[in-house]
Amino acid sequence: MDTFNNIFDIAIILGGFMIIYYAVQMKVSDIIKPGIIVPPDVNVQKLKDREAFKKYAFPRHSIQGILLITLGAVGIFFDLIGRSDIHIIIYGIALVVLLVGNMIIEKGKRQFY
């Protein structure tokens, strides 16, 4: 078992949980976290349609968080069965999930701010 790889897998899992936590907080408590849900330079008080924004952003952030948690867990699983060589593939997929997910989310969210 390679501890170094597990540290990155745990970081991927924690990042997924953080995205889901702030997405749920946005939906339930109406708290939109700048830097996580929206870019840091966006004033969340000046959103054009706050409810439509929450309906748009919540499922996309939730899916992104679930995918990251799953990828981190798969990385730990492969490490436990002795296939730590697969981690580079897992990290590449996690990077693609983050990049493509953020591009999709940002493309649609621009209509709200």
Side-chain angles (χ1 to χ4, degrees):
M1 183 181 323
D2 191 359
T3 307
F4 189 70
N5 286 336
N6 284 339
I7 291 171
F8 284 118
D9 291 331
I10 291 170
I12 291 170
I13 291 171
L14 291 176
F17 276 120
M18 185 179 73
I19 291 171
I20 290 173
Y21 171 76
Y22 284 118
V24 169
Q25 187 179 30
M26 174 187 62
K27 184 171 179 130
V28 173
S29 303
D30 196 36
I31 298 171
I32 299 173
K33 180 74 173 166
I36 304 293
I37 301 296
V38 295
D41 59 337
V42 173
N43 185 353
V44 294
Q45 304 305 327
K46 294 183 180 180
L47 288 174
K48 294 176 186 172
D49 188 357
R50 196 174 182 96
E51 291 303 315
F53 171 77
K54 291 190 311 187
K55 286 179 183 176
Y56 177 84
F58 178 74
R60 287 159 179 82
H61 282 289
S62 298
I63 290 170
Q64 187 179 35
I66 290 168
L67 287 173
L68 289 174
I69 291 169
T70 303
L71 286 169
V74 167
I76 290 174
F77 171 74
F78 279 125
D79 198 35
L80 290 174
I81 64 170
R83 293 298 312 264
S84 60
D85 56 328
I86 297 181
H87 275 96
I88 191 70
I89 297 168
I90 299 293
Y91 298 151
I93 294 171
L95 182 63
V96 168
V97 166
L98 279 172
L99 293 176
V100 171
N102 284 343
M103 286 185 344
I104 290 170
I105 291 167
E106 289 302 316
K107 182 179 178 184
K109 285 194 308 190
R110 290 196 180 135
Q111 64 188 344
F112 298 107
Y113 39 81

